[in-house]
Amino acid sequence: MEDKYNNEDFKSGIVALIGPPNAGKSTFLNSIIGEKIAIVSPKPQTTRNQITGIFTKENFQIVFIDTPGIHQHKGKLNNFLLKSAFAGLDASDVVVLMLDGHLYVKKEYLIKKEVSFIVERLSKIDKPILVVINKIDKIKNKNLLLPLTEEVLKFLPGKDIFYVSALTGDGCIEVIKKIVELLPYGPMLYPEDQISTAPLRFLAAELIREKLFLYLQKELPYSVAVNIDDWQEDEDLVRILATIYVSRESHKPIVIGNKGRMLKKVGTEARQELEDMLSKKVFLDLWVKVKPKWTENTGFLMSLGLGQDNF
Ligand SMILES: Nc1nc2c(ncn2[C@@H]2O[C@H](COP(=O)(O)OP(=O)(O)OP(=O)(O)O)[C@@H](O)[C@H]2O)c(=O)[nH]1
Ligand SMILES: [Mg+2]
C-alpha cells in the first residue's frame, strides 16, 4: 500500500516559537491550533515549559514548540526557563522570533535591550529565522511600524519580517505559508487529530496557574506552582486534587483570600474551563501549601517538569 504521507507531497517539521516574555507566543499558538493549549496572561513569564501545538493540514504538519519568554533575570527558576526556551531552538527546523510590536512603538531603544541577547544565541544556529511582529491590532498608525522594522533589521539583517495580530488572526496565514515553504519533505510526526503532546494533568495544572496569574498581584504569580496530586476519572465525572505551592508563609493567606474568596474564584474558573476541555463534570479540590524558596529548589523544579525537553 502506498504511504500517502511519506512522499514528496507532504512536509513536516518542528518550529520553535521564541521571543521576549509577553510577546504573544502562546496566544499565537492557540490561535493557529484553534484551541487553548498554552495558558496566556497579561503578565510576563507566564509560560514555564515547552508546550507543543500540532497543526496538521492536507499537505503539511507543523509541530510548534511554545517556549518560556527569554530574559536575563537571575535565579534557578529563571535558569530553568531559559534552558527550556533555548532547547526549543536546538530541536527546531524553523525558528519564529516573536516580538511585541506595540511595546516598541516610539520606544525602539527597547528592541536592543530585549533582542540582542536572543540574537546572540540565534547567531550560533544555522536555521531559517522568521521575525514576527505581533499585536499590530494595537497600532492604529501603521507608519509607526517603519522605524521599528528598521531597528529590528539592524539586529537581524536580511530576515523576513511579518506583521500579525495573534489576537485577531490577522497576518498569521502568511507566517504559516512561509513556514511550510521552509519545512523539509517528510512524514507525519504525530497522528493527524492530535493537537498537543501535553498530558491532561499538565493542562489542568496550567489552567489553575493561569487563573492565579490573572488574579494575583505583584510578585505573587511568580511565587506559585501547581501540582496535580490525584486524578480519578469515571464515565461522567473527573475528581482532581491539586496543590498550589507558594514560596512564603505570608503568601498563603493572600492566595486563599478573605474568607477563601480568592481560592474559590480561581477554583471555579479553572473548573469551568476544565469541564469544557474534558466534556465531563469536574470536582476540583484545591489546597495551598508553603514550600519555602521552591523557586531555588532544583529537585522541586524538576518534579514540576520544568527544564525538561519535550524533544
Ligand atoms: N492586543 C493584542 N494583545 C495580544 C496579542 N497577542 C497577545 N496579546 C496579549 O499579550 C499578553 C501576553 O500574551 P502571551 O501569549 O501570554 O505572551 P507570551 O509571549 O506567551 O508570554 P510568556 O509566556 O510570558 O513568554 C496577553 O495579555 C495577550 O492577551 C495581540 O495580537 N494583540
Ligand atoms: Mg507564553
Side-chain angles (χ1 to χ4, degrees):
M1 199 176 86
E2 192 200 354
D3 183 353
K4 181 181 168 198
Y5 299 114
N6 206 4
N7 58 27
E8 298 246 312
D9 293 334
F10 201 83
K11 289 183 150 192
S12 63
I14 296 170
V15 175
L17 282 172
I18 67 156
N22 217 40
K25 301 176 291 298
S26 301
T27 308
F28 179 81
L29 180 78
N30 292 340
S31 151
I32 300 292
I33 306 297
E35 295 275 346
K36 184 155 142 194
I37 299 173
I39 62 167
V40 165
S41 95
K43 301 187 176 84
Q45 287 163 258
T46 303
T47 304
R48 289 181 181 163
N49 306 65
Q50 286 179 8
I51 297 164
T52 56
I54 305 162
F55 185 51
T56 309
K57 288 280 177 200
E58 191 55 30
N59 52 351
F60 66 83
Q61 182 172 69
I62 306 173
V63 181
F64 285 102
I65 319 175
D66 184 18
T67 62
I70 297 169
H71 57 82
Q72 296 183 74
H73 301 158
K74 300 267 178 288
K76 270 199 185 140
L77 172 60
N78 288 321
N79 287 342
F80 271 77
L81 299 185
L82 212 56
K83 185 172 169 270
S84 267
F86 286 142
L89 276 182
D90 295 333
S92 64
D93 297 293
V94 177
V95 177
V96 168
L97 170 60
M98 181 150 294
L99 303 172
D100 175 347
H102 185 250
L103 178 69
Y104 305 140
V105 167
K106 295 186 182 154
K107 285 190 226 139
E108 287 85 11
Y109 59 89
L110 282 178
I111 296 175
K112 181 171 186 214
K113 194 169 157 239
E114 287 208 317
V115 172
S116 50
F117 176 59
I118 302 176
V119 169
E120 196 187 305
R121 181 62 169 75
L122 288 176
S123 68
K124 298 192 180 104
I125 57 163
D126 185 22
K127 292 182 183 178
I129 298 165
L130 309 181
V131 181
V132 175
I133 296 179
N134 187 27
K135 307 197 190 180
I136 54 159
D137 57 293
K138 284 169 95 179
I139 308 172
K140 296 291 168 252
N141 178 0
K142 302 293 184 238
N143 290 331
L144 295 172
L145 287 167
L146 274 167
L148 199 151
T149 305
E150 272 173 24
E151 185 67 14
V152 169
L153 283 171
K154 277 189 200 162
F155 295 94
L156 294 145
K159 298 294 174 225
D160 282 326
I161 308 247
F162 295 83
Y163 303 95
V164 309
S165 166
L167 205 64
T168 66
D170 242 21
C172 293
I173 288 177
E174 280 68 33
V175 180
I176 296 292
K177 278 187 190 154
K178 187 69 194 181
I179 290 172
V180 174
E181 220 180 284
L182 295 164
L183 283 186
Y185 287 101
M188 269 202 198
L189 303 168
Y190 293 94
E192 58 191 318
D193 56 353
Q194 185 170 350
I195 57 167
S196 183
T197 59
L200 285 176
R201 281 170 86 117
F202 171 78
L203 293 174
E206 286 288 272
L207 277 179
I208 298 165
R209 200 166 63 78
E210 180 186 63
K211 306 308 166 207
L212 292 162
F213 251 70
L214 288 174
Y215 298 125
L216 295 174
Q217 302 301 319
K218 295 182 183 154
E219 85 278 18
L220 255 288
Y222 307 104
S223 155
V224 298
V226 179
N227 186 57
I228 303 295
D229 301 327
D230 194 36
W231 182 291
Q232 303 281 344
E233 193 161 352
D234 58 37
E235 220 164 285
D236 44 22
L237 177 76
V238 189
R239 287 174 193 277
I240 303 170
L241 176 64
T243 301
I244 299 167
Y245 289 98
V246 292
S247 58
R248 280 194 216 157
E249 199 62 53
S250 61
H251 290 164
K252 192 172 168 178
I254 308 173
V255 172
I256 294 171
N258 187 12
K259 297 194 176 124
R261 278 198 202 108
M262 175 64 87
L263 200 57
K264 188 155 184 230
K265 186 155 103 169
V266 166
T268 306
E269 289 197 14
R271 178 181 54 74
Q272 284 165 349
E273 270 196 50
L274 282 165
E275 288 182 338
D276 285 347
M277 188 175 98
L278 301 165
S279 302
K280 278 188 184 179
K281 221 174 152 34
V282 170
F283 178 78
L284 179 60
D285 198 5
L286 284 181
W287 292 84
V288 184
K289 277 189 198 152
V290 183
K291 181 99 188 160
K293 299 192 181 143
W294 69 261
T295 56
E296 296 301 320
N297 181 335
T298 303
F300 185 73
L301 292 169
M302 287 175 79
S303 78
L304 292 170
L306 269 72
Q308 242 172 44
D309 292 351
N310 282 332
F311 292 88

